[in-house]
Short mmCIF file of all heavy atoms in Angstrom, two decimals:
data_model
loop_
_atom_site.label_atom_id
_atom_site.label_comp_id
_atom_site.label_asym_id
_atom_site.label_seq_id
_atom_site.Cartn_x
_atom_site.Cartn_y
_atom_site.Cartn_z
N MET A 1 87.74 98.57 61.28
CA MET A 1 86.68 98.89 62.19
C MET A 1 85.57 99.59 61.45
O MET A 1 85.78 100.51 60.64
CB MET A 1 87.24 99.78 63.31
CG MET A 1 86.15 100.26 64.25
SD MET A 1 86.75 101.06 65.71
CE MET A 1 87.74 99.75 66.46
N ILE A 9 73.63 98.59 63.49
CA ILE A 9 74.24 98.07 62.36
C ILE A 9 73.29 97.07 61.72
O ILE A 9 72.99 96.00 62.31
CB ILE A 9 75.58 97.35 62.71
CG1 ILE A 9 76.50 98.37 63.48
CG2 ILE A 9 76.31 96.81 61.47
CD1 ILE A 9 77.71 97.69 64.12
N LYS A 12 73.17 93.04 61.86
CA LYS A 12 74.17 92.66 62.82
C LYS A 12 73.61 92.84 64.23
O LYS A 12 72.81 93.71 64.47
CB LYS A 12 75.47 93.43 62.68
CG LYS A 12 76.12 93.32 61.35
CD LYS A 12 76.61 91.97 61.09
CE LYS A 12 77.33 91.88 59.73
NZ LYS A 12 77.75 90.54 59.38
N LYS A 16 77.64 94.08 72.87
CA LYS A 16 78.28 94.76 74.00
C LYS A 16 78.39 96.27 73.67
O LYS A 16 78.93 96.62 72.57
CB LYS A 16 79.63 94.17 74.33
CG LYS A 16 80.27 94.85 75.56
CD LYS A 16 81.60 94.15 75.81
CE LYS A 16 82.28 94.74 77.04
NZ LYS A 16 83.57 94.16 77.29
N TYR A 17 77.91 97.09 74.53
CA TYR A 17 78.10 98.55 74.43
C TYR A 17 79.27 98.90 75.39
O TYR A 17 79.13 98.74 76.57
CB TYR A 17 76.80 99.31 74.86
CG TYR A 17 75.74 99.18 73.86
CD1 TYR A 17 74.88 98.10 73.81
CD2 TYR A 17 75.55 100.17 72.87
CE1 TYR A 17 73.83 97.99 72.88
CE2 TYR A 17 74.53 100.06 71.92
CZ TYR A 17 73.64 98.99 71.93
OH TYR A 17 72.71 98.88 71.03
N GLY A 23 87.47 111.78 69.49
CA GLY A 23 88.76 112.22 68.94
C GLY A 23 88.65 113.67 68.56
O GLY A 23 87.58 114.13 68.17
N ILE A 26 92.82 119.96 66.18
CA ILE A 26 92.82 121.45 66.06
C ILE A 26 93.90 121.80 65.08
O ILE A 26 95.04 121.35 65.24
CB ILE A 26 93.03 122.07 67.40
CG1 ILE A 26 91.91 121.71 68.38
CG2 ILE A 26 93.12 123.62 67.28
CD1 ILE A 26 92.11 122.24 69.82
N GLY A 38 89.81 134.88 51.62
CA GLY A 38 89.09 136.17 51.64
C GLY A 38 88.82 136.63 50.22
O GLY A 38 87.72 137.07 49.89
N ILE A 39 89.80 136.50 49.38
CA ILE A 39 89.66 136.93 47.97
C ILE A 39 88.59 135.99 47.29
O ILE A 39 87.76 136.50 46.57
CB ILE A 39 91.00 136.81 47.23
CG1 ILE A 39 91.98 137.90 47.80
CG2 ILE A 39 90.87 136.97 45.70
CD1 ILE A 39 93.37 137.81 47.25
N ARG A 46 85.30 128.20 45.49
CA ARG A 46 85.56 127.41 46.67
C ARG A 46 86.95 127.68 47.14
O ARG A 46 87.87 127.96 46.39
CB ARG A 46 85.38 125.95 46.29
CG ARG A 46 83.94 125.62 45.94
CD ARG A 46 83.82 124.25 45.32
NE ARG A 46 84.27 123.27 46.24
CZ ARG A 46 84.11 121.94 46.01
NH1 ARG A 46 83.53 121.53 44.90
NH2 ARG A 46 84.52 121.06 46.87
N GLU A 51 89.12 123.63 52.44
CA GLU A 51 88.50 122.31 52.26
C GLU A 51 89.51 121.17 52.60
O GLU A 51 89.21 120.20 53.28
CB GLU A 51 88.02 122.11 50.83
CG GLU A 51 86.79 122.98 50.51
CD GLU A 51 86.40 122.95 49.08
OE1 GLU A 51 87.14 122.28 48.25
OE2 GLU A 51 85.38 123.58 48.75
N ILE A 60 91.92 113.07 61.08
CA ILE A 60 92.62 112.97 62.34
C ILE A 60 91.69 112.62 63.45
O ILE A 60 91.90 111.73 64.28
CB ILE A 60 93.48 114.22 62.67
CG1 ILE A 60 94.63 114.37 61.68
CG2 ILE A 60 94.01 114.20 64.07
CD1 ILE A 60 95.28 115.73 61.69
N MET A 66 88.76 106.04 66.46
CA MET A 66 88.90 104.66 66.18
C MET A 66 90.03 104.04 67.03
O MET A 66 89.85 102.88 67.51
CB MET A 66 89.19 104.44 64.67
CG MET A 66 88.02 104.83 63.84
SD MET A 66 88.43 104.84 62.01
CE MET A 66 88.96 103.15 61.75
N GLN A 70 89.46 100.85 69.58
CA GLN A 70 90.19 99.66 69.43
C GLN A 70 90.92 99.30 70.71
O GLN A 70 90.92 98.12 71.07
CB GLN A 70 91.17 99.80 68.27
CG GLN A 70 91.87 98.50 67.88
CD GLN A 70 92.66 98.66 66.61
OE1 GLN A 70 93.25 99.70 66.38
NE2 GLN A 70 92.68 97.61 65.82
N LEU A 72 89.86 99.83 73.58
CA LEU A 72 88.82 99.37 74.50
C LEU A 72 88.26 97.98 74.11
O LEU A 72 87.38 97.51 74.81
CB LEU A 72 87.72 100.40 74.66
CG LEU A 72 88.13 101.73 75.22
CD1 LEU A 72 86.96 102.77 75.08
CD2 LEU A 72 88.51 101.58 76.74
N ALA A 74 86.63 97.34 71.10
CA ALA A 74 85.47 97.43 70.21
C ALA A 74 85.82 97.05 68.82
O ALA A 74 86.99 97.12 68.39
CB ALA A 74 84.94 98.87 70.23
N LEU A 82 80.04 114.37 64.03
CA LEU A 82 81.15 115.29 63.80
C LEU A 82 80.78 116.70 64.00
O LEU A 82 79.72 117.14 63.58
CB LEU A 82 81.67 115.09 62.33
CG LEU A 82 82.17 113.70 61.95
CD1 LEU A 82 82.40 113.67 60.46
CD2 LEU A 82 83.47 113.42 62.69
N ASP A 83 81.59 117.43 64.75
CA ASP A 83 81.32 118.83 65.06
C ASP A 83 82.52 119.65 64.55
O ASP A 83 83.67 119.23 64.73
CB ASP A 83 81.13 119.06 66.48
CG ASP A 83 79.81 118.49 67.05
OD1 ASP A 83 78.78 118.72 66.33
OD2 ASP A 83 79.86 117.78 68.02
N ALA A 102 81.35 103.14 71.17
CA ALA A 102 82.10 101.99 70.86
C ALA A 102 81.28 100.73 71.23
O ALA A 102 80.69 100.64 72.32
CB ALA A 102 83.42 101.95 71.63
#
Side-chain angles (χ1 to χ4, degrees):
M1 175 169 300
I9 304 168
K12 300 294 182 184
K16 183 177 182 183
Y17 288 84
I26 299 175
I39 291 172
R46 296 169 59 172
E51 289 173 359
I60 291 168
M66 290 171 61
Q70 191 171 33
L72 294 171
L82 297 172
D83 291 312

